[in-house]
Amino acid sequence: MDVRRADERYRGGDPEAGISSLHAFSFGPHYDPDNLRFGAVIACNEERLAPGAGFDEHPHSHTEIVTWVVEGELTHRDSAGHESVVRSGDVQRLSSAGGVRHAERNDGTEPLVFVQMWLAPLEPGGDPAYEIVHGIADSTPYAVPEAGAMLHVRRLTAGERTAVPDAPFVYVHVVRGEIRLDGEELAAGDAARITEAKDLEAVAGAPAELLLWEMTAP
């Protein structure tokens, strides 16, 4: 298990424009050849947008983009005609496939915080697709078969335990709270990259929210 701490993430964004970004993987000008991906995950970005701030329309291709809103409301628009407001507890996925453009903004009056994860598809190309699941339950994993991956959301009370999926690759991101995992204490923003996970449990030291990616592909 490889633990990466919140303060080790690369800082990005444009503070003057109300955008603050934290990148867990090599990203843009923060090129790190030893930190390009884990399993299918090639990016895990925490984005903070002030009211009225956002990312203007920009292109993506050959990437599965999964977004989890922590606080506030995210307005999504894309070149395929989709427009949605994504709120806390919703899972949004944009399959950019052969190519799509999208814009993401905070059109609300409160600060917006979201975690966006990019996964590499098993096969390139195809047609873009979009999906949003409102209020996903803890017991309902979200499958991204194009990347050989499954997202598990866990919201734990203090002292509560949850099993970590047995899988060749598991990526655990702590959204909020504190957990103990295989002898390590993890806090908000920390992540664990686990290879050949088996019989592991996470125990919440305080109310916690976790995102766990169960993956088959390297």
Side-chain angles (χ1 to χ4, degrees):
M1 185 172 76
D2 179 10
V3 174
R4 305 292 179 106
R5 300 298 179 184
D7 60 6
E8 296 175 346
R9 294 178 294 182
Y10 312 111
R11 293 188 175 274
D14 184 351
E16 291 187 359
I19 302 171
S20 175
S21 304
L22 293 171
H23 305 292
F25 290 83
S26 181
F27 200 94
H30 303 289
Y31 179 68
D32 181 352
D34 296 323
N35 191 23
L36 297 178
R37 67 185 288 172
F38 178 77
V41 179
I42 56 176
C44 181
N45 305 331
E46 181 184 286
E47 306 287 1
R48 295 176 179 268
L49 303 184
F55 300 101
D56 293 332
E57 188 174 280
H58 56 281
H60 285 281
S61 62
H62 313 304
T63 311
E64 300 294 318
I65 303 169
V66 179
T67 304
W68 176 259
V69 172
V70 181
E71 301 171 7
E73 298 182 347
L74 170 66
T75 299
H76 164 94
R77 300 180 181 88
D78 65 44
S79 56
H82 304 108
E83 182 171 341
S84 300
V85 176
V86 191
R87 299 179 174 86
S88 179
D90 297 344
V91 171
Q92 174 187 261
R93 177 166 66 106
L94 176 63
S95 180
S96 62
V100 70
R101 300 179 66 85
H102 76 151
E104 300 162 300
R105 300 198 59 81
N106 179 5
D107 290 336
T109 58
E110 300 296 327
L112 166 66
V113 181
F114 63 96
V115 178
Q116 188 168 90
M117 298 151 287
W118 299 4
L119 286 79
L122 298 173
E123 299 291 341
D127 296 321
Y130 178 81
E131 182 177 43
I132 183 169
V133 178
H134 296 289
I136 194 166
D138 285 16
S139 58
T140 307
Y142 181 76
V144 185
E146 292 82 356
M150 187 95 68
L151 175 64
H152 302 265
V153 178
R154 295 288 185 266
R155 306 173 185 93
L156 306 176
T157 58
E160 188 176 358
R161 297 171 177 269
T162 187
V164 173
D166 293 345
F169 301 93
V170 177
Y171 185 82
V172 181
H173 176 81
V174 182
V175 176
R176 61 180 112 220
E178 300 172 357
I179 65 164
R180 185 171 183 82
L181 177 61
D182 199 27
E184 293 278 358
E185 303 285 346
L186 278 71
D190 292 347
R193 306 175 187 190
I194 308 169
T195 304
E196 300 298 339
K198 187 171 179 59
D199 300 329
L200 293 178
E201 280 190 328
V203 184
E209 183 173 280
L210 313 177
L211 302 175
L212 301 94
W213 281 106
E214 173 187 355
M215 297 170 285
T216 58

